[in-house]
Amino acid sequence: MVKLIALYKKPSDIEAFDKHYAEVHMPLTSKMPGLKKVEISRIKGSPMGASEYHVMAEMYFENMEALKSSMSSPEGRASGKDLMGFAKDVVCMMIAEVEETAPVAALN
Amino acid sequence: MVKLIALYKKPSDIEAFDKHYAEVHMPLTSKMPGLKKVEISRIKGSPMGASEYHVMAEMYFENMEALKSSMSSPEGRASGKDLMGFAKDVVCMMIAEVEETAPVAALN
């Protein structure tokens, strides 16, 4: 499994950001072909206190080819264009291979 | 579900980092009480090319109380102490609420 990660720093207008994210960006992103799962994480802080980050979205695909094909599809381009319009200054994108998803019993 | 996220920038000595991570840090972390799942993601790049990040570890707990209790346990402190010893300059820690884990069918 691979994933496309979008990590957002706190935007200047959190309410407007959250509204656009929920009402426009997520519906566009959810149309991307080959998308297996989306996990949205609301950053609440860090072990040291506050965090500069606001939210992280993880979009899972079967493999790297499926991820890249989806990103270059019309739906992927529409999501990317929207992203650059509302979050260019706060988003960091990463592409990752999910190496291990282990229950604790398997780790110990 | 909540998670503790450790996002690491590329270390100066990747080989030494990966070795310590696999042989020392992960075994320590996997002993943390209440840990439900660990997902390790190897950052391969970004849609724009390279990424400054190397790896992301996500440690899942049932709820915020379980996460905080685990972090302050002897096992949690041992993991934290080890982390500060080998990755203080490259790690960013976040605590997040996992708001949504949805299959695409539910999103569309």
Side-chain angles (χ1 to χ4, degrees):
Chain A
M1 198 76 95
V2 302
K3 63 186 179 185
L4 179 62
I5 304 163
L7 177 61
Y8 301 83
K9 289 186 180 174
K10 285 197 198 307
S12 51
D13 185 339
I14 289 180
E15 197 177 336
F17 176 97
D18 286 348
K19 185 175 161 65
H20 184 94
Y21 192 88
E23 296 178 5
V24 179
H25 190 64
M26 184 46 67
L28 281 173
T29 301
S30 70
K31 290 189 175 68
M32 287 175 69
L35 190 58
K36 295 291 183 193
K37 189 180 83 166
V38 177
E39 184 165 301
I40 306 292
S41 299
R42 301 277 166 192
I43 312 299
K44 295 298 174 184
S46 83
M48 280 70 79
S51 173
E52 66 178 316
Y53 293 102
H54 179 53
V55 67
M56 179 168 71
E58 297 167 276
M59 279 77 50
Y60 291 75
F61 296 86
E62 194 63 38
N63 54 43
M64 208 54 90
E65 193 180 340
L67 185 156
K68 291 188 174 173
S69 163
S70 187
M71 284 183 56
S72 61
S73 71
E75 295 86 351
R77 287 171 189 272
S79 172
K81 186 179 174 186
D82 180 64
L83 180 71
M84 288 301 107
F86 86 102
K88 187 178 58 170
D89 297 337
V90 294
V91 72
C92 170
M93 301 294 295
M94 291 167 262
I95 293 170
E97 281 177 3
V98 179
E99 189 176 75
E100 191 173 3
T101 304
V104 177
L107 289 169
N108 282 324
Chain B
M1 197 76 95
V2 302
K3 63 187 179 185
L4 179 61
I5 305 164
L7 177 61
Y8 300 83
K9 290 186 179 174
K10 284 195 198 308
S12 52
D13 185 340
I14 288 180
E15 197 176 335
F17 176 97
D18 286 348
K19 185 175 161 65
H20 184 95
Y21 192 88
E23 295 179 6
V24 179
H25 190 64
M26 185 45 67
L28 281 174
T29 301
S30 70
K31 290 189 176 68
M32 288 175 70
L35 190 58
K36 294 292 183 193
K37 190 181 81 166
V38 177
E39 185 165 301
I40 306 292
S41 299
R42 301 276 166 192
I43 312 299
K44 295 298 175 183
S46 82
M48 279 70 77
S51 172
E52 67 178 314
Y53 294 101
H54 179 53
V55 66
M56 178 168 71
E58 296 168 276
M59 279 78 52
Y60 291 76
F61 295 86
E62 194 63 38
N63 53 45
M64 206 56 88
E65 193 180 341
L67 185 156
K68 292 188 173 173
S69 164
S70 187
M71 284 183 56
S72 61
S73 71
E75 296 86 352
R77 286 172 189 272
S79 172
K81 187 179 175 188
D82 179 65
L83 179 72
M84 289 301 107
F86 86 102
K88 186 177 59 169
D89 297 337
V90 294
V91 73
C92 169
M93 303 293 295
M94 290 168 261
I95 292 170
E97 280 176 4
V98 180
E99 190 177 74
E100 190 172 4
T101 304
V104 178
L107 289 169
N108 282 323

